[in-house]
Each structure stands twice: as C-alpha cells, then as structure tokens.
Amino acid sequence: MRAADIVGTAVANSFRSRLRTSLTVIAIFIGAFTLTITNGLGTGINNYIDTQLSSLGASDVMTVTKPVEAALVGEGPAEYDPDAAAEVEANGPPGTTVTALDRDDLDTLRNLDGVASVEPAVSVRPDYVEWASGDSDRYEIAASALGSGMSIELVAGEPFSGDEPQVVLPTDYIESLGFDDNEAAIGETVTLGVTDATGEQHTLDATVSGVQEPTLFGSTASMNDALTSGLYDLQSIGLPDTESWASATLRLDEASTSDALKVELVDAGFVGTTVADQLGAFTTVVDGIILVLNAFALIALLAAGFGIINTLLMSVQERTREIGLMKAMGMSGGRIFALFSTEAVFIGFLGSAIGAGVAMGIGSVLSGVLANGFLSGLPGLQILAFDPVSIATVLLLVMGIAFLAAVLPASRAARQSPIDSLRYE
C-alpha cells in the first residue's frame, strides 16, 4: 500500500464511526480553540506594547544617568560628607539621586566599547500651542523630541523632513485647534509658547508634518531636532551659561549588547536603562498570564489525547478481523501502524483546523467590537491578533499530540497475529 493509499484509507476509516469521531474532534476543537485565542491575546497585547515602546525608543537605545555615589554603593546609608554634599547640590536639588552630565562625561561615554553615538537629552516644556493663522484658543500641550531609534504611527502626513521646525500633533488636538480633519492640519503652521528662566514668554512657529494617535503614555506631540533646539534655546534664556544635562541618549553599535554595556557603564560610574527595562515588569506579567491560559488549553488537549486513544483502541478492536486479513495479504506491521497513526493525525488536524478557524473568526469580530467600545480609550490596540506562525504551531502541536496518542493503539494493531485476528469473533 502506497503512502497516498494509506492517507486515503485513514481518512475514510475516520468516518466509520461518525459519532465517536465527532465527539473526539469536539474535544480537540475546544483545546485548539482555547490555545488559538490565548495565543492571539498574547500576540495582540505584545504587538501593542512593541508599538508603544517604539514611540519611546528603540531596543538599541539606552538612557544614561550619573547617580550619586551613595546610590551606586547600595550598602546602607553613606556617612555625611559636607564637601560631597556641596558638589551634589551644585549639580541638582538637595536629595537628588543623579548628578548632571558634562562634556567630559559625554566624551567618556563615547569612548566606551560598543557605543555608536551619545547625545545629551534635553527637556522642553512648551506652555501652549495654537493655530497661527486660525481663530483658535491656546491649549496646553506636552511635547517630546523624536529621539534616535524612535518611531511613531501616523494617521496622516509624513515623517519629519527638512531643517525647519516641525511637529506631529495628537489627533485629539486637531478639532480643538480648529482644523476640519487630520489631513487639513498637514502643512499648516502652529505657534508654541515657552517661558524662559526670567519669566518672559517667547513663541516659535512650527509646521505640522503629521498627526498621530495618542499613545498609552498620553497625548504627547513629537518634535524634530530643529523645533526641540529652538524651544530649548528660548527656554534656557536667563540660565547660567553652563553645559550640563540630566541624562544622555546612548545608541549601541551592531556588535554590542545592552547587558554587556550596562556592566561597562556601572564600572565607569554611570547607569543605563533601556525602554524594555522600564516596562519589563509589565511585559513579564502579561507573558505570565498568557502562559497560565495556555496551560489550561494544553490540559484540554491532553484530555482530547485520551479521547483519541479510546477512539482508536475501540477501532482496533472492531477491525480485528480486517487487520488479520490485511496481514494475511502481505501488509507489514509498519504499514498497519502508519494507517492507524495517520487516522489519529487526521482527526487531530480536523479538530485543530476547525478550532483555529473558528477562533480566528470570532476573535477578529470580538477584537473589532472591543476596539470601538470598551477599549476605545487605547487607540491602536487590537486585543486579539493572529500570527500565521502561531496558528501553524498550534496545528502542528495538536497533530503531534494526536500522533503520540495513537502510538499505543497503532502498536497493538501492528503486533496482532494474522491467524488469531482472523479467528476473532
């Protein structure tokens, strides 16, 4: 019997006892459905987290600070040193846990192995934004520079280009500023106000290059380097002419890893954190919940595996004389084993394919309903997302469980004596 004949015969034999096979398929369906839904939940949440992280920084970008010595030691309270305290207070307010970085610190960071670039991080705090040529009110706004490796998902417009000041506005500012829609805001000029150290307010115009959905971290506008520098210079008027920064943005080269560089930074008196470090606990909790849900799905699949064993054992018993006849006609034990194991794999495939298909259909509808309803406050979140690789993994996993479940009954069929089988009543 050829391989194609074995597959065809196994498929036909699967439907000999339709009720028994259907009940087994239903059991597999429940496990595959649950596993597909939980995997889709994990994929959807992790995709959303990755999207939000990309708006904060890339995986190869690190924020570097210079903690005070007491924070680095970590061996209990340090004895008070008036000279050291005066040095710390000169670089920040009393009680601060970091000291300012200067040019020498930036040079030290650039000379570390594995560092591709280092740029000082500046903080800009605009007072308001208004449509320059429109009749709109002024609105408070939070803005941040689009740093190295960061990306934003635009609903209208294009990424930053050119050297003139540009800004990407959140969608919830468009109507308030007086624009008809997202597309109408592109290319328009808005005015941002900022107050300097003396209390005087200044303004700077910027072109709206794009519109983005608010992120998990709020409605924050994104600025290009020209706008960031312009606002920072206006904001710094009246401050002492000293070059110091609270932190720096460090980019790793392709050959280095963040873990190795963190060790170098500590040895040099710095501390580096990645975006993944900042949300590591959150992603760990999500992954843990998905793992628990997957465990329940696997328990259902294991129960379905025992159903397959029972189905095939009964099938072997019912077809004892048929097995004896096949052996008497020269069919080897290996071919008989392949016939029954293929039957089990087909049942597993049938149940898992139906379960995954139904899960994808229901999940897609449910995800859309939630995105427009209960989860509308989290724009861009698709709570259930189905990855083809994950779906294929579920199918292969279930078929593998089905094959393992078939080993016992298939081996029993393969070992049967043709004479005893033909005499079986």
Side-chain angles (χ1 to χ4, degrees):
M1 184 178 286
R2 296 174 300 177
D5 296 329
I6 291 177
V7 174
T9 304
V11 172
N13 289 339
S14 299
F15 295 101
R16 278 190 171 186
S17 179
R18 294 184 179 181
L19 178 60
R20 190 166 61 218
T21 300
S22 298
L23 293 175
T24 306
V25 168
I26 290 174
I28 297 172
F29 165 87
I30 295 173
F33 177 88
T34 307
L35 193 58
T36 303
I37 288 292
T38 54
N39 277 342
L41 181 63
T43 300
I45 294 177
N46 285 325
N47 286 346
Y48 183 68
I49 292 174
D50 291 341
T51 301
Q52 300 304 310
L53 290 181
S54 67
S55 67
L56 297 179
S59 58
D60 60 347
V61 172
M62 190 177 295
T63 299
V64 179
T65 57
K66 186 178 182 181
V68 296
E69 184 177 355
L72 285 174
V73 173
E75 297 178 354
E79 185 176 350
Y80 176 72
D81 184 348
D83 295 331
E87 181 180 351
V88 171
E89 292 181 12
N91 290 281
T96 185
T97 58
V98 297
T99 59
L101 301 173
D102 55 25
R103 286 288 179 187
D104 292 337
D105 293 323
L106 297 183
D107 292 336
T108 300
L109 292 172
R110 292 188 181 101
N111 292 328
L112 294 177
D113 293 335
V115 175
S117 64
V118 176
E119 296 296 334
V122 297
S123 175
V124 176
R125 298 178 299 278
D127 298 331
Y128 66 85
V129 62
E130 65 176 342
W131 186 10
S133 57
D135 186 19
S136 71
D137 295 328
R138 296 176 176 179
Y139 295 93
E140 295 182 358
I141 190 169
S144 61
L146 190 66
S148 175
M150 295 172 60
S151 62
I152 49 179
E153 289 194 357
L154 300 178
V155 297
E158 300 291 339
F160 294 132
S161 62
D163 298 328
E164 71 278 3
Q166 296 178 359
V167 64
V168 171
L169 295 175
T171 54
D172 49 6
Y173 276 77
I174 299 304
E175 183 178 351
S176 299
L177 290 175
F179 300 114
D180 293 334
D181 52 38
N182 295 334
E183 293 292 343
I186 305 304
E188 293 291 332
T189 300
V190 294
T191 300
L192 291 94
V194 65
T195 302
D196 64 22
T198 65
E200 183 179 354
Q201 194 171 67
H202 307 269
T203 60
L204 183 63
D205 290 341
T207 302
V208 179
S209 66
V211 179
Q212 70 180 82
E213 290 282 5
T215 67
L216 183 63
F217 309 98
S219 298
T220 302
S222 299
M223 306 179 295
N224 68 345
D225 293 339
L227 179 57
T228 303
S229 299
L231 289 175
Y232 183 74
D233 291 341
L234 294 174
Q235 179 181 282
S236 302
I237 295 175
L239 292 177
D241 189 15
T242 57
E243 291 188 312
S244 60
W245 303 271
S247 63
T249 301
L250 181 151
R251 193 175 187 92
L252 288 67
D253 61 26
E254 296 180 356
S256 62
T257 63
S258 58
D259 291 338
L261 188 55
K262 286 177 184 178
V263 176
E264 288 191 65
L265 289 171
V266 171
D267 293 339
F270 302 93
V271 170
T273 57
T274 62
V275 175
D277 294 333
Q278 299 173 30
L279 293 181
F282 180 72
T283 55
T284 299
V285 170
V286 171
D287 290 340
I289 293 173
I290 299 302
L291 183 62
V292 171
L293 293 176
N294 282 339
F296 284 111
L298 288 175
I299 291 173
L301 287 175
L302 290 176
F306 286 104
I308 293 175
I309 294 175
N310 179 66
T311 297
L312 289 185
L313 283 175
M314 295 181 66
S315 180
V316 169
Q317 184 176 358
E318 292 172 353
R319 292 151 58 185
T320 300
R321 290 178 59 85
E322 180 183 334
I323 294 171
L325 182 59
M326 287 189 291
K327 280 202 166 186
M329 295 177 64
M331 192 171 182
S332 65
R335 294 284 184 176
I336 294 177
F337 179 88
L339 180 64
F340 281 91
S341 59
T342 302
E343 185 176 332
V345 170
F346 172 73
I347 294 175
F349 170 76
L350 189 61
S352 60
I354 297 175
V358 173
M360 292 174 64
I362 294 178
S364 298
V365 174
L366 181 61
S367 183
V369 171
L370 291 176
N372 296 320
F374 181 71
L375 300 176
S376 59
L378 298 173
L381 172 60
Q382 291 294 324
I383 192 66
L384 292 168
F386 300 100
D387 178 25
V389 175
S390 297
I391 299 301
T393 302
V394 170
L395 295 178
L396 293 175
L397 175 63
V398 176
M399 292 166 65
I401 293 175
F403 175 79
L404 294 176
V407 170
L408 176 61
S411 298
R412 177 173 295 184
R415 292 196 305 267
Q416 286 187 4
S417 168
I419 297 176
D420 293 338
S421 298
L422 289 173
R423 290 176 178 173
Y424 182 81
E425 294 294 338

Tab-separated table of all heavy atoms in Angstrom, residues 48-49 52-53 55-56 214-220 279:
chain	number	residue	atom	x	y	z
A	48	TYR	N	0.920	45.559	20.675
A	48	TYR	CA	0.581	46.900	21.156
A	48	TYR	C	1.702	47.464	22.026
A	48	TYR	O	2.072	48.637	21.902
A	48	TYR	CB	-0.724	46.848	21.938
A	48	TYR	CG	-1.200	48.202	22.417
A	48	TYR	CD1	-1.631	49.154	21.504
A	48	TYR	CD2	-1.225	48.511	23.770
A	48	TYR	CE1	-2.079	50.399	21.935
A	48	TYR	CE2	-1.670	49.743	24.207
A	48	TYR	CZ	-2.097	50.691	23.287
A	48	TYR	OH	-2.527	51.917	23.726
A	49	ILE	N	2.254	46.606	22.888
A	49	ILE	CA	3.365	47.055	23.737
A	49	ILE	C	4.561	47.448	22.879
A	49	ILE	O	5.203	48.482	23.104
A	49	ILE	CB	3.759	45.952	24.741
A	49	ILE	CG1	2.631	45.752	25.764
A	49	ILE	CG2	5.056	46.311	25.453
A	49	ILE	CD1	2.872	44.596	26.708
A	52	GLN	N	3.953	50.800	21.336
A	52	GLN	CA	4.108	51.883	22.300
A	52	GLN	C	5.575	52.099	22.661
A	52	GLN	O	6.026	53.237	22.814
A	52	GLN	CB	3.301	51.579	23.569
A	52	GLN	CG	1.807	51.418	23.327
A	52	GLN	CD	1.187	52.611	22.655
A	52	GLN	OE1	1.388	53.754	23.084
A	52	GLN	NE2	0.450	52.381	21.590
A	53	LEU	N	6.329	51.016	22.761
A	53	LEU	CA	7.744	51.142	23.082
A	53	LEU	C	8.504	51.856	21.978
A	53	LEU	O	9.461	52.593	22.239
A	53	LEU	CB	8.357	49.754	23.318
A	53	LEU	CG	7.934	49.019	24.582
A	53	LEU	CD1	8.642	47.676	24.680
A	53	LEU	CD2	8.224	49.846	25.821
A	55	SER	N	7.587	54.273	20.305
A	55	SER	CA	7.419	55.712	20.427
A	55	SER	C	8.285	56.292	21.536
A	55	SER	O	8.421	57.516	21.646
A	55	SER	CB	5.950	56.054	20.697
A	55	SER	OG	5.551	55.590	21.974
A	56	LEU	N	8.859	55.415	22.372
A	56	LEU	CA	9.745	55.867	23.446
A	56	LEU	C	11.213	55.676	23.104
A	56	LEU	O	12.066	56.420	23.586
A	56	LEU	CB	9.431	55.100	24.739
A	56	LEU	CG	8.034	55.286	25.327
A	56	LEU	CD1	7.889	54.447	26.581
A	56	LEU	CD2	7.788	56.749	25.638
A	214	PRO	N	-3.014	59.301	20.057
A	214	PRO	CA	-2.429	59.323	21.401
A	214	PRO	C	-1.925	57.933	21.776
A	214	PRO	O	-2.522	56.929	21.400
A	214	PRO	CB	-3.603	59.750	22.291
A	214	PRO	CG	-4.543	60.453	21.371
A	214	PRO	CD	-4.400	59.776	20.043
A	215	THR	N	-0.831	57.870	22.483
A	215	THR	CA	-0.244	56.593	22.877
A	215	THR	C	-0.715	56.200	24.266
A	215	THR	O	-1.487	56.914	24.910
A	215	THR	CB	1.289	56.671	22.870
A	215	THR	OG1	1.723	57.563	23.920
A	215	THR	CG2	1.797	57.213	21.534
A	216	LEU	N	-0.229	55.049	24.714
A	216	LEU	CA	-0.539	54.566	26.059
A	216	LEU	C	-0.064	55.556	27.118
A	216	LEU	O	-0.561	55.566	28.241
A	216	LEU	CB	0.124	53.204	26.269
A	216	LEU	CG	-0.115	52.469	27.581
A	216	LEU	CD1	-1.585	52.131	27.727
A	216	LEU	CD2	0.737	51.215	27.649
A	217	PHE	N	0.892	56.400	26.762
A	217	PHE	CA	1.500	57.315	27.720
A	217	PHE	C	0.929	58.726	27.608
A	217	PHE	O	1.478	59.671	28.161
A	217	PHE	CB	3.018	57.341	27.518
A	217	PHE	CG	3.619	55.968	27.507
A	217	PHE	CD1	3.895	55.324	26.308
A	217	PHE	CD2	3.865	55.295	28.687
A	217	PHE	CE1	4.426	54.043	26.288
A	217	PHE	CE2	4.395	54.014	28.681
A	217	PHE	CZ	4.669	53.388	27.482
A	218	GLY	N	-0.162	58.878	26.867
A	218	GLY	CA	-0.848	60.155	26.820
A	218	GLY	C	-0.751	60.832	25.465
A	218	GLY	O	-0.150	60.321	24.522
A	219	SER	N	-1.364	62.027	25.394
A	219	SER	CA	-1.374	62.808	24.158
A	219	SER	C	-0.147	63.705	24.141
A	219	SER	O	-0.173	64.839	24.648
A	219	SER	CB	-2.652	63.643	24.071
A	219	SER	OG	-3.788	62.818	24.031
A	220	THR	N	0.924	63.207	23.574
A	220	THR	CA	2.182	63.934	23.516
A	220	THR	C	2.540	64.248	22.077
A	220	THR	O	2.499	63.367	21.216
A	220	THR	CB	3.317	63.105	24.155
A	220	THR	OG1	2.970	62.798	25.498
A	220	THR	CG2	4.626	63.877	24.143
A	279	LEU	N	9.596	48.901	31.212
A	279	LEU	CA	8.315	48.192	31.184
A	279	LEU	C	8.496	46.685	31.331
A	279	LEU	O	7.588	45.921	31.008
A	279	LEU	CB	7.582	48.491	29.872
A	279	LEU	CG	7.105	49.935	29.689
A	279	LEU	CD1	6.382	50.095	28.367
A	279	LEU	CD2	6.203	50.368	30.824
